[in-house]
Amino acid sequence: MRTIAEPAAAALTSQDLATVPEGPGQGAGHAALQRLQTARPRRRSVREIFRTVGSIALIAAIFGFAVPHFASYRSVWASMGAMTWAEVLLIAAAAAASMISTWIMICSVLPAIRLREAAVVNLGSNAVANTLPAGGALAMGVSWAMLSSWGISTPQYVLYTLVSGIWNVFARLGLPVLALVILATASRPGAGLIAAAAVGLALLAAMAVGLGLLMRSESFAVRAGRVVQLVLVTACRVARRPASFDIPGSLLGFRDRAGALIAARGWRITVATAASNLTLWLVLLACLRGIGLSQAQVPWQTSLAAFAFVRLLTVLPITPGGLGITELGLIATLAAGHRDAAQVTAAVLLYRAVTYLPPIPLGAIACLTWRYAPGLIHAQPVPRQEPQKIAGPAPQAP
């Protein structure tokens, strides 16, 4: 399950955001979506075609050859069929809690919207991101169209995207460190987790220091913006694309707005982001227990370590929603040399099914509701009317 500002999704450029019309209204949001869609080339480039074909081939190879290496799909289905209704309800409740925690996290960063609006934005964008190769950019276009139709301005959306994205990166980098500490109390951590924790800790410290300097020092923000500007201009020249952006000015603007948001809601954003990630792990744990794997067979510390490792592994958007890579990473980590490999494989596939598939139909319903019945999501404010004056008798001339 992904948020609309996950770092794995491709972000909109500052030039695209600058051309998106501001202001409330359904027309503004729909126009923004059309603008984002028509801005893409009509014919896919060779790179996009190869990326799509490569993504499909990788997913087919993982599910066709790699996963059956651990357990046959017949044994996986048999393990799922042995579940009781109580176990099914437990998994459904955990999946629902994980989904709601994501909506709460969105509201914590963007307090101008309500929970039901956050649900529509999250489900609609996830439906696109989970079904289309490299659908992150289009998913962000969908989320921007929805938010702009509810009166969210361009600076608010950019601030929300950047802050929530940074906090999600912090969570992904910090999870392996937390998992390593917890796993060390139960067993000896593997070399893979130790390496992931070391990389995550180094990157987390570097990002935290960089963000702290950016918030505290205006001169650092200007110098960092110039460095990024130089890198992007060079990259645009190599790619033979126009470079019309002002990174130092954008960083200064982000610094001012983000500083006020973090000062007012920093702890709330941190708690909501941590809860969103941990409840997603609880879905995995519920699937492991629901399939019948006990604490002695798969300790919860081991499942947390595997979850943290795979979350860090899937930062780059190689496949839509990490499809295939997440499953293979979890199965290889949890089922390697395990005598209950069939049950572990069944639990992982069940976990991915309840977190990956539901947002697709729910997101389609959310998009249709936003498009054709917007009043069910966002109540339009009633225009204020001036009180009518009661006409009295005309004054008589003396």
Side-chain angles (χ1 to χ4, degrees):
M1 187 180 302
R2 299 153 60 96
T3 65
I4 67 177
E6 284 268 355
L12 297 175
T13 64
S14 58
Q15 186 176 3
D16 291 334
L17 288 172
T19 57
V20 175
E22 295 188 25
Q26 182 73 20
H30 188 58
L33 179 58
Q34 289 182 338
R35 173 78 175 103
L36 290 167
Q37 290 175 335
T38 56
R40 293 175 60 86
R42 293 185 178 181
R43 302 182 64 179
R44 289 186 176 182
S45 64
V46 176
R47 181 182 300 178
E48 290 175 336
I49 294 176
F50 273 109
R51 183 175 181 176
T52 302
V53 173
S55 177
I56 295 174
L58 179 60
I59 294 172
I62 289 175
F63 286 104
F65 300 98
V67 173
H69 175 74
F70 293 93
S72 65
Y73 286 113
R74 179 176 298 179
S75 61
V76 168
W77 185 254
S79 298
M80 292 184 183
M83 295 173 58
T84 64
W85 279 108
E87 294 166 341
V88 172
L89 291 177
L90 174 64
I91 295 172
S98 175
M99 195 177 296
I100 294 173
S101 68
T102 303
W103 306 341
I104 295 174
M105 187 270 292
I106 295 174
C107 292
S108 68
V109 188
L110 196 60
I113 65 172
R114 303 174 183 177
L115 186 64
R116 63 173 178 266
E117 295 163 353
V120 170
V121 169
N122 177 249
L123 292 173
S125 59
N126 278 345
V128 175
N130 288 353
T131 53
L132 299 178
L138 184 56
M140 295 190 73
V142 171
S143 64
W144 162 242
M146 291 179 176
L147 291 172
S148 65
S149 70
W150 300 327
I152 302 300
S153 64
T154 300
Q156 286 178 304
Y157 178 73
V158 173
L159 177 64
Y160 154 71
T161 303
L162 293 178
V163 170
S164 59
I166 291 171
W167 255 249
N168 270 296
V169 170
F170 284 162
R172 284 175 180 263
L173 296 178
L175 268 176
V177 180
L178 175 64
L180 178 63
V181 173
I182 294 176
L183 187 61
T185 63
S187 61
R188 185 176 180 179
L193 180 60
I194 295 176
V199 172
L201 182 60
L203 293 177
L204 182 62
M207 286 193 62
V209 171
L211 182 61
L213 290 174
L214 181 66
M215 292 293 105
R216 292 179 177 273
S217 174
E218 182 176 347
S219 60
F220 176 82
V222 174
R223 290 195 299 268
R226 290 173 180 171
V227 173
V228 176
Q229 176 93 4
L230 179 61
V231 173
L232 291 180
V233 168
T234 304
C236 289
R237 287 177 180 175
V238 173
R240 297 180 180 180
R241 293 188 177 183
S244 56
F245 39 75
D246 179 21
I247 299 300
S250 300
L251 272 182
L252 288 176
F254 167 75
R255 176 179 174 272
D256 295 336
R257 293 189 298 270
L261 177 63
I262 294 172
R265 307 177 67 85
W267 283 108
R268 188 176 301 180
I269 296 172
T270 302
V271 172
T273 304
S276 175
N277 283 269
L278 291 178
T279 52
L280 186 59
W281 161 68
L282 288 177
V283 180
L284 173 62
L285 184 61
C287 291
L288 290 169
R289 298 296 179 257
I291 288 296
L293 294 166
S294 63
Q295 171 70 12
Q297 294 171 299
V298 180
W300 66 267
Q301 297 92 334
T302 304
S303 67
L304 178 60
F307 174 81
F309 175 76
V310 172
R311 288 283 286 176
L312 187 61
L313 183 66
T314 55
V315 168
L316 297 178
I318 300 176
T319 60
L323 184 63
I325 298 177
T326 300
E327 289 83 351
L328 181 60
L330 287 174
I331 293 172
T333 305
L334 295 174
H338 206 291
R339 58 188 181 90
D340 300 310
Q343 288 181 293
V344 172
T345 304
V348 170
L349 294 181
L350 180 61
Y351 157 72
R352 286 293 283 169
V354 298
T355 55
Y356 187 92
L357 296 179
I360 297 177
L362 292 177
I365 295 173
C367 289
L368 291 175
T369 304
W370 167 76
R371 183 67 180 87
Y372 296 104
L376 298 177
I377 305 170
H378 181 82
Q380 298 294 333
V382 179
R384 297 182 61 182
Q385 297 180 356
E386 294 294 333
Q388 297 180 356
K389 296 183 179 180
I390 300 176
Q396 298 180 357

